[in-house]
C-alpha cells in the first residue's frame, strides 16, 4: 500500500512539475477557454497552501479562463513568480489585455510581492503592455527582480508604456523606503527601435540595479544605443549585456565602450552582428584592456571589423584570467588576418578561447572603399561648395567695409574661427603669442571628433623649413591636446578613431569626406606621440593602421616612414 501511495505521489509530482511552492502546468498544451475548462487548475490553486509560483507556459488561456484562475489567486498572499510565457497562442490580440488585467488585479488584491514576471513569447503588442501597466505600477511589483518580455512585439509604443510604468513603480516604491531594484530585464525581438530603447534607458538609469540586460534584435541604431550606454554606466552591478543584432555603428560602439569602463562586474558582452566596425572595436578593446577584470565572454562577431582592430581586441583580453570565449567570426580579417589573430591568441596561451573564424568575410576590397568614398564626396560636394561660397562672400563683404562694426581703417583683430575655417601659416602667426591659448579656448576639447578636426587643421599649415610656423603649430597642438587629455570627460580613443576616419584610414558609417593628407599632419602626429600627455596605449593602434599599404599616405612617403619609425620606438620604450 505504501508503495502505491509513493508511486501515486511521484506520478502527481511529475504531472504538475511541482517544486517547493510551485504549481506547474508547463507545456501541457491545454486549450483553456472558459471557467469549466480550468476547474481542475482552480481547485489545485485553491488547495495549494503557500503557493509562490504558477507555471502556465505552453497552454492557451482565454479571457474567461484567466478570470477564473485570477479568482483563485486572490487569496495567495505569498505568491511571487508568474511564469506565463507562451500562454496566448491562437488567441485574438483583443483577448489578451483583459486576461492580463484580471490576473494582475488578483495579484494586487492578494497583496502579493512579485519577484519574477515572465510573459515572453506572447506577441501581445502595445495593447498587451497596457494589460500589465497597472500591475507594474502597483506595490505588487515593488519587489520585482526579473522582468522577461522577450518576443512580445511591444513596438515603440509598448516600450514607452513599459518604461513609464517602471519609472512610476520606482518612484512610488522609493517613497516607501524600498525602491524597485530590478535585476534582470529581457526584451529581445520587440521592435523597440531608438525611441523605445531611449525611454527604457531612462528607467534603467533611474533604477541603477540591473545585473542582466538582454535586448537583441530590436532595430536600435546609434541614438538608442548611446542612450542605453549612458544608462548602463549607472548600473554598476551589471554582469551580462546582450544587445546582439542591433546597429551600433561607430558612434554607438564608442559610446558603449565608454560606458563599459566603470562596470567591473561585467562577465558577458554580446555585441555580435552589431556593426561596431574598426573604430568601435578599437574603442571597446581599450575599455576591455583598462578594466572588466572578470570578463568571461566577448562577442564582436559580424561587425565589419578589420585585421588591425581585431588584433587590438585580441591583445586587450591578454590578462583576462576568467575569459572563456572571444568571438570574432564573420568579420573582415582575410586569410592573413585570421592567421594573425589566431597567432596572437596562441602567443598569449589563449588560443583555445578564440571561437571559429570560418565565416570570415575576407578583407574589404580597396575598389569598394574607393566607390563608397566617391559617393560620399558626390553627396557632400554641393553642401561644401555652398558653405565655401557663403564664407567667401562674407570675407568679401568684410574686406569692403560692409557689416563691420569698427571703422574700416582699424586693423582687424586676430580671429581664431577664421583660421580654423581656412587655415594658413600667415593667419596662425598673426594670432600672436597667445595663439595657443586662443585656440584651446575656441575648441570643445571634451569632444574627440572636434578635437581631431582642430588638430588636423592646425597641423595642415606645418612647414618643416620655416621654424616660426613649425614652432607655432607644435605649441598650439601641445596646448590643445594637453588640455584635452587632462579633461576628465575627454575620450582618448574617440579622438584617435576620429583622427583615423578623418585621415581616410578607416571608414565611417557617416558620410565623412576624409581630409587631403599632407606631410604636416604626419609630422605633427610624430611630435604628439612623443609627448607625455599622449596615452601610450594609443600608440599601438596608430601604428597598426598607419602600417597598412594605404594609398592616402603615398604622397607623404618620407613623413610616413619617419612617423612609423617613431611609433615603433615609442611602443618599444613603453
Amino acid at each position: 500500500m505504501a508503495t502505491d501511495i509513493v508511486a501515486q505521489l511521484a506520478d502527481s509530482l511529475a504531472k504538475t512539475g511541482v517544486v517547493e511552492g510551485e504549481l506547474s502546468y508547463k507545456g501541457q498544451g491545454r486549450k483553456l477557454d472558459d471557467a469549466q475548462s480550468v476547474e481542475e487548475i482552480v481547485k489545485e490553486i485553491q488547495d495549494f497552501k503557500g503557493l509562490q509560483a504558477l507555471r502556465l507556459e505552453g497552454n492557451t488561456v482565454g479571457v474567461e479562463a484567466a478570470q477564473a484562475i485570477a479568482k483563485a489567486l486572490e487569496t495567495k498572499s505569498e505568491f511571487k513568480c508568474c511564469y506565463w510565457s507562451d500562454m496566448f497562442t491562437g488567441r485574438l490580440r483583443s483577448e489578451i489585455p483583459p486576461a492580463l488585467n484580471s490576473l494582475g488585479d488578483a495579484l494586487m488584491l492578494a497583496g502579493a510581492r512579485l519577484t519574477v514576471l515572465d510573459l515572453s513569447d506572447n506577441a501581445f503588442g502595445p495593447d498587451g503592455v497596457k494589460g500589465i501597466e497597472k500591475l507594474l505600477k502597483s506595490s505588487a511589483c515593488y519587489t520585482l527582480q526579473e522582468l522577461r518580455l522577450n518576443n512580445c512585439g511591444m513596438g515603440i509604443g509598448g516600450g514607452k508604456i513599459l518604461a513609464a510604468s517602471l519609472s512610476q513603480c520606482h518612484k512610488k516604491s522609493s517613497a516607501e523606503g524600498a525602491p524597485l531594484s530590478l535585476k534582470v530585464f529581457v526584451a529581445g525581438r520587440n521592435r523597440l527601435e531608438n525611441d523605445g530603447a531611449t525611454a527604457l534607458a531612462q528607467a534603467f538609469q533611474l533604477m541603477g540595479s540591473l545585473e542582466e540586460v538582454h535586448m537583441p534584435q530590436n532595430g536600435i541604431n546609434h541614438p538608442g544605443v548611446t542612450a542605453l550606454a549612458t544608462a548602463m554606466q549607472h548600473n554598476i552591478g551589471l554582469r551580462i549585456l546582450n544587445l546582439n543584432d542591433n546597429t551600433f555603428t561607430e558612434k554607438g560602439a564608442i559610446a558603449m565602450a565608454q560606458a563599459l569602463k566603470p562596470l567591473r562586474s561585467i562577465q558577458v558582452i554580446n555585441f555580435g552582428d552589431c556593426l561596431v566596425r574598426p573604430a568601435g572595436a578599437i574603442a571597446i578593446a581599450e575599455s576591455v584592456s583598462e578594466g572588466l577584470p572578470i570578463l568571461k565572454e566577448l562577442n564582436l562577431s559580424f561587425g565589419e571589423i578589420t585585421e588591425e582592430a581585431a588584433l587590438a581586441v585580441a591583445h586587450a583580453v591578454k590578462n583576462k584570467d576568467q575569459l572563456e570565449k572571444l568571438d570574432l567570426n564573420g568579420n573582415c580579417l582575410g586569410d592573413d588576418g585570421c592567421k594573425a589573430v589566431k597567432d596572437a591568441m596562441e602567443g598569449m596561451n589563449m588560443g583555445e578561447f578564440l571561437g571559429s573564424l570560418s565565416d570570415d568575410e575576407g578583407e574589404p576590397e580597396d575598389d569598394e572603399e574607393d566607390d563608397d568614398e566617391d559617393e560620399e564626396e558626390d553627396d557632400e560636394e554641393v553642401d561644401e561648395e555652398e558653405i565655401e561660397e557663403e564664407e567667401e562672400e562674407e570675407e568679401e563683404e568684410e574686406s569692403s567695409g560692409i557689416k563691420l562694426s569698427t571703422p574700416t581703417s582699424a586693423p582687424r583683430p586676430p580671429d581664431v574661427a577664421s583660421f580654423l575655417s581656412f587655415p594658413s601659416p600667415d593667419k596662425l602667426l598673426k594670432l600672436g603669442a597667445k595663439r595657443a591659448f586662443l585656440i584651446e579656448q575656441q575648441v570643445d576639447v571634451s569632444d574627440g571628433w572636434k578635437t581631431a578636426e582642430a588638430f588636423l587643421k592646425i597641423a595642415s599649415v606645418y612647414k618643416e623649413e620655416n621654424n616660426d610656423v613649425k614652432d607655432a603649430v607644435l605649441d598650439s597642438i601641445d596646448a590643445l591636446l594637453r588640455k584635452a587629455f587632462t579633461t576628465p570627460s575627454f575620450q582618448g580613443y574617440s579622438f584617435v578613431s576620429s583622427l583615423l576616419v578623418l585621415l581616410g584610414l578607416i571608414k565611417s558609417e557617416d558620410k565623412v569626406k576624409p581630409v587631403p593628407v599632407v606631410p604636416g599632419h604626419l609630422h605633427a602626429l610624430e611630435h604628439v606621440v612623443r609627448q607625455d600627455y599622449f596615452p601610450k596605449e594609443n600608440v599601438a593602434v596608430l601604428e597598426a593602421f598607419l602600417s597598412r599599404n594605404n594609398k592616402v599616405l603615398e604622397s607623404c612617403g618620407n613623413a610616413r616612414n619617419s612617423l612609423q619609425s617613431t611609433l615603433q620606438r615609442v611602443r618599444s620604450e613603453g
Side-chain angles (χ1 to χ4, degrees):
M1 179 67 71
T3 304
D4 291 339
I5 293 173
V6 171
Q8 290 174 10
L9 178 60
D11 181 68
S12 177
L13 289 172
K15 178 182 177 183
T16 59
V18 173
V19 294
E20 185 179 356
E22 178 181 288
L23 187 58
S24 176
Y25 303 93
K26 180 179 180 180
Q28 295 184 10
R30 299 193 187 192
K31 194 170 187 295
L32 307 172
D33 295 325
D34 50 30
Q36 185 178 354
S37 64
V38 292
E39 283 180 352
E40 177 190 350
I41 294 175
V42 167
K43 187 175 187 307
E44 289 179 340
I45 291 174
Q46 290 171 337
D47 294 344
F48 200 122
K49 293 182 179 179
L51 180 66
Q52 295 182 26
L54 177 62
R55 289 189 174 274
L56 293 172
E57 310 105 304
N59 300 285
T60 176
V61 183
V63 177
E64 289 185 23
Q67 290 170 342
I69 292 171
K71 187 69 176 175
L73 289 172
E74 287 180 357
T75 60
K76 303 301 174 181
S77 60
E78 297 178 44
F79 195 81
K80 294 180 180 179
C81 303
C82 307
Y83 297 107
W84 297 345
S85 64
D86 188 23
M87 71 171 195
F88 294 116
T89 301
R91 300 292 170 182
L92 295 174
R93 183 169 288 188
S94 60
E95 293 182 78
I96 300 175
L100 290 173
N101 271 317
S102 297
L103 292 166
D105 288 346
L107 296 176
M108 289 185 281
L109 184 61
R113 291 293 183 268
L114 298 183
T115 57
V116 178
L117 178 57
D118 185 355
L119 288 165
S120 297
D121 301 315
N122 278 311
F124 47 47
D127 290 342
V129 185
K130 292 178 183 177
I132 57 172
E133 183 178 6
K134 185 163 56 170
L135 174 64
L136 287 173
K137 293 178 179 178
S138 75
S139 59
C141 286
Y142 288 0
T143 50
L144 195 63
Q145 294 183 14
E146 298 183 21
L147 179 58
R148 300 178 182 271
L149 297 168
N150 200 59
N151 191 31
C152 287
M154 289 189 287
I156 295 172
K160 288 183 175 180
I161 295 169
L162 178 61
S165 300
L166 291 173
S167 297
Q168 182 69 9
C169 183
H170 183 271
K171 180 180 178 180
K172 291 167 67 177
S173 59
S174 296
E176 294 191 11
L180 171 65
S181 297
L182 191 69
K183 289 182 170 57
V184 177
F185 180 83
V186 182
R189 300 182 65 187
N190 270 290
R191 305 192 310 276
L192 295 170
E193 300 182 17
N194 290 332
D195 289 348
T198 299
L200 284 165
Q202 294 171 353
F204 296 164
Q205 183 169 331
L206 196 62
M207 291 185 291
S209 56
L210 289 167
E211 295 179 6
E212 295 185 28
V213 175
H214 303 263
M215 296 175 67
Q217 296 183 354
N218 269 297
I220 307 170
N221 298 325
H222 73 80
V225 172
T226 300
L228 287 171
T230 301
M232 292 306 108
Q233 293 182 72
H234 296 267
N235 289 265
I236 58 173
L238 193 67
R239 295 183 298 106
I240 299 174
L241 181 57
N242 176 9
L243 296 174
N244 186 283
D245 200 8
N246 291 290
T247 309
F248 283 34
T249 62
E250 292 148 4
K251 289 182 180 179
I254 288 171
M256 193 58 72
Q258 176 70 7
L260 291 173
K261 288 190 173 184
L263 303 180
R264 301 187 63 79
S265 298
I266 280 278
Q267 297 177 17
V268 178
I269 297 172
N270 186 344
F271 295 161
D273 206 12
C274 284
L275 207 65
V276 299
R277 292 188 170 144
I282 289 169
I284 292 168
E286 183 175 332
S287 293
V288 170
S289 178
E290 293 179 2
L292 284 59
I294 59 173
L295 184 67
K296 292 183 178 180
E297 295 183 23
L298 175 60
N299 184 347
L300 295 177
S301 60
F302 298 94
E304 292 191 359
I305 300 170
T306 53
E307 177 185 346
E308 293 82 4
L311 284 170
V313 174
H315 289 301
V317 300
K318 180 178 181 180
N319 296 315
K320 305 306 169 188
D321 298 334
Q322 298 188 35
L323 189 74
E324 296 174 1
K325 185 174 182 181
L326 171 62
D327 191 345
L328 292 171
N329 199 19
N331 284 299
C332 304
L333 310 185
D335 292 339
D336 291 343
C338 288
K339 183 179 184 303
V341 170
K342 288 176 182 177
D343 289 347
M345 292 295 286
E346 288 170 2
M348 299 183 292
N349 295 319
M350 301 179 78
E352 63 186 296
F353 304 131
L354 179 65
S356 170
L357 298 175
S358 60
D359 294 322
D360 187 74
E361 300 280 343
E363 293 183 72
E365 296 181 9
D366 290 339
D367 290 343
E368 291 179 5
E369 291 182 7
D370 292 342
D371 290 342
D372 290 342
E373 288 172 4
D374 290 341
E375 288 175 9
E376 291 172 4
E377 289 176 11
D378 291 341
D379 289 341
E380 292 188 0
E381 193 173 49
V382 174
D383 291 338
E384 289 194 352
E385 286 176 358
E386 289 175 356
I387 292 169
E388 288 175 3
E389 286 173 5
E390 289 173 4
E391 289 171 339
E392 286 170 3
E393 286 173 6
E394 288 176 5
E395 287 189 343
E396 287 172 5
E397 289 174 344
E398 290 171 351
S399 64
S400 63
I402 301 173
K403 294 187 177 179
L404 290 176
S405 58
T406 55
T408 55
S409 59
R412 187 176 178 186
D415 187 347
V416 177
S418 175
F419 166 71
L420 292 174
S421 297
F422 299 95
S424 72
D426 186 55
K427 285 183 180 179
L428 180 63
L429 292 176
K430 284 184 176 178
L431 290 175
K434 292 185 177 181
R435 67 178 68 87
F437 173 77
L438 293 171
I439 290 172
E440 72 172 66
Q441 293 299 309
Q442 180 76 16
V443 179
D444 178 7
V445 294
S446 65
D447 188 313
W449 181 268
K450 291 178 181 177
T451 305
E453 284 185 316
F455 165 80
L456 291 175
K457 286 177 179 178
I458 300 167
S460 68
V461 304
Y462 179 98
K463 290 186 179 296
E464 184 70 32
E465 68 280 3
N466 188 322
N467 287 334
D468 289 341
V469 174
K470 177 179 174 180
D471 291 344
V473 167
L474 298 182
D475 288 346
S476 299
I477 284 174
D478 281 341
L480 175 69
L481 295 187
R482 191 179 297 280
K483 181 179 179 181
F485 280 105
T486 55
T487 298
S489 59
F490 184 69
Q491 301 173 6
Y493 57 83
S494 176
F495 168 76
V496 172
S497 58
S498 298
L499 202 59
L500 294 170
V501 168
L502 288 165
L503 289 172
L505 297 175
I506 57 177
K507 291 176 66 178
S508 169
E509 77 275 7
D510 294 325
K511 295 194 171 182
V512 176
K513 183 180 179 181
V515 302
V517 182
V518 296
H521 291 143
L522 305 188
H523 285 306
L525 195 53
E526 181 181 0
H527 167 82
V528 166
V529 299
R530 295 197 301 260
Q531 306 310 305
D532 58 359
Y533 58 72
F534 190 77
K536 294 298 180 280
E537 60 266 23
N538 289 332
V539 171
V541 176
L542 288 172
E543 183 183 4
F545 280 92
L546 287 163
S547 63
R548 296 173 63 182
N549 185 20
N550 198 306
K551 66 181 183 180
V552 301
L553 302 180
E554 286 178 356
S555 62
C556 309
N558 292 335
R560 178 187 61 184
N561 295 339
S562 180
L563 173 57
Q564 288 176 339
S565 176
T566 297
L567 286 168
Q568 291 172 1
R569 185 168 62 254
V570 172
R571 184 167 60 83
S572 63
E573 291 172 355

